[in-house]
Amino acid sequence: MKKILYSLLFCISLISCNEGGSKDKLVSKVRSDINVELQKRASSNGISLSINSFDLMHKNGKEYSGVLKTIEGGQEYTYQVDVTADEHSYMWKIVE
């Protein structure tokens, strides 16, 4: 019985490690995409922009919710970001 319990705990830890790694990759990819898009907008408006932080929380299924903090033209802004992702693709949207 102990072997089964240890095997189950080991499998759960492997799954949670893999999910954490994939979430980190998703955060990195989405942050990069958002940065490119926001830099284009900032440049066209003649202001500077930097991303202070971005993180995602898994809501359910393929849905994630995130908080993006930026400095734009010297002012701090906070945005909510919705992300839908599967193994191969993702979509993000800044909620206004």
Side-chain angles (χ1 to χ4, degrees):
M1 185 66 166
K2 284 185 179 181
K3 286 183 180 183
I4 293 173
L5 180 60
Y6 288 131
S7 296
L8 180 60
L9 289 174
F10 179 72
C11 289
I12 290 171
S13 68
L14 283 178
I15 291 169
S16 63
C17 288
N18 288 338
E19 288 178 2
S22 62
K23 181 191 158 225
D24 291 344
K25 288 179 186 176
L26 180 61
V27 168
S28 177
K29 289 178 182 180
V30 172
R31 180 183 175 136
S32 178
D33 283 358
I34 290 173
N35 188 50
V36 168
E37 185 64 32
L38 293 181
Q39 290 296 342
K40 287 179 190 175
R41 290 182 192 174
S43 178
S44 69
N45 290 324
I47 62 172
S48 63
L49 179 136
S50 63
I51 294 178
N52 282 349
S53 64
F54 177 64
D55 198 17
L56 291 173
M57 295 211 38
H58 185 242
K59 289 172 33 178
N60 60 29
K62 298 177 182 181
E63 304 295 318
Y64 294 82
S65 181
V67 176
L68 171 70
K69 294 187 178 187
T70 65
I71 295 181
E72 301 171 37
Q75 294 185 349
E76 293 183 16
Y77 293 90
T78 301
Y79 301 98
Q80 178 183 339
V81 180
D82 288 340
V83 178
T84 303
D86 62 21
E87 295 176 19
H88 307 289
S89 62
Y90 58 91
M91 298 183 314
W92 59 269
K93 178 176 89 170
I94 295 177
V95 180
E96 297 186 34

